[in-house]
Amino acid sequence: MTLKVTGLAALALGLALTGSASADRAPTPEEQTRIEAVLKQEGFTKWKKIEVEDDEIEVDDAIDANGKQFDLELDPKTFAIVKREAE
């Protein structure tokens, strides 16, 4: 009985970790190209980290032409910036 519970607990933990690991990922080369095009079009000159999730794309520490820093959220279907948060 203890082995079954331990096995089930390990399985549940493994599934939980797998699910969270796949939630955030790096963009594909195609996504990266589209994201960078949008960022440049919107006046951003550099950025640090880009993560893709099911419902959003996060861009950390994007710097605009005036040197202001923002965290951004983009729509994963349209790649439009839907949120800008000044740092």
Side-chain angles (χ1 to χ4, degrees):
M1 181 89 173
T2 302
L3 290 177
K4 280 188 175 180
V5 172
T6 304
L8 290 175
L11 178 62
L13 180 60
L15 290 173
L17 292 175
T18 302
S20 65
S22 66
D24 297 344
R25 64 173 175 81
T28 65
E30 295 82 16
E31 289 170 330
Q32 183 81 24
T33 299
R34 290 190 64 191
I35 293 164
E36 289 180 356
V38 167
L39 295 175
K40 290 174 185 175
Q41 179 182 346
E42 293 293 322
F44 292 96
T45 58
K46 58 184 172 177
W47 43 87
K48 287 191 179 175
K49 186 172 163 184
I50 300 173
E51 289 184 329
V52 178
E53 298 179 13
D54 291 337
D55 59 345
E56 67 185 19
I57 298 169
E58 294 181 356
V59 180
D60 293 334
D61 303 331
I63 308 293
D64 70 9
N66 297 319
K68 293 183 181 177
Q69 182 171 312
F70 297 86
D71 284 340
L72 308 172
E73 288 182 14
L74 283 70
D75 181 288
K77 294 178 184 170
T78 65
F79 295 89
I81 296 173
V82 295
K83 183 176 178 185
R84 293 175 196 237
E85 188 173 307
E87 290 281 307

